[in-house]
Amino acid sequence: MTAATAADHGAAVLAPAERLTGVRIDPELLAAAEYQVGEVPQEPAEEWESVTVDITDAHGVRTYVRVRRDQL
């Protein structure tokens, strides 16, 4: 893959996020961003009560959803 092709691919991947959030994603924004990650084990836990999705967008708006096992 050439550098131009890689840049086109990256732009295509980020375009939906830019459109949804209204935030222009550029190298400076990505370099200054704070990233948090979690580890997902290969094998699921034998017993679990719920799954939580907690996302904060670039505007500071938080989306928090908790799904109980019985809701799935």
Side-chain angles (χ1 to χ4, degrees), residues 14-23:
L14 295 175
E18 289 182 0
R19 187 175 186 142
L20 288 170
T21 64
V23 175

Side-chain angles (χ1 to χ4, degrees), residues 24-54:
R24 176 82 173 123
I25 301 173
D26 57 23
E28 291 79 20
L29 177 69
L30 295 175
E34 180 179 317
Y35 298 93
Q36 296 180 7
V37 298
E39 182 179 347
V40 177
Q42 290 291 334
E43 295 293 322
E46 289 183 24
E47 294 295 323
W48 56 278
E49 298 295 321
S50 64
V51 174
T52 302
V53 178
D54 190 353

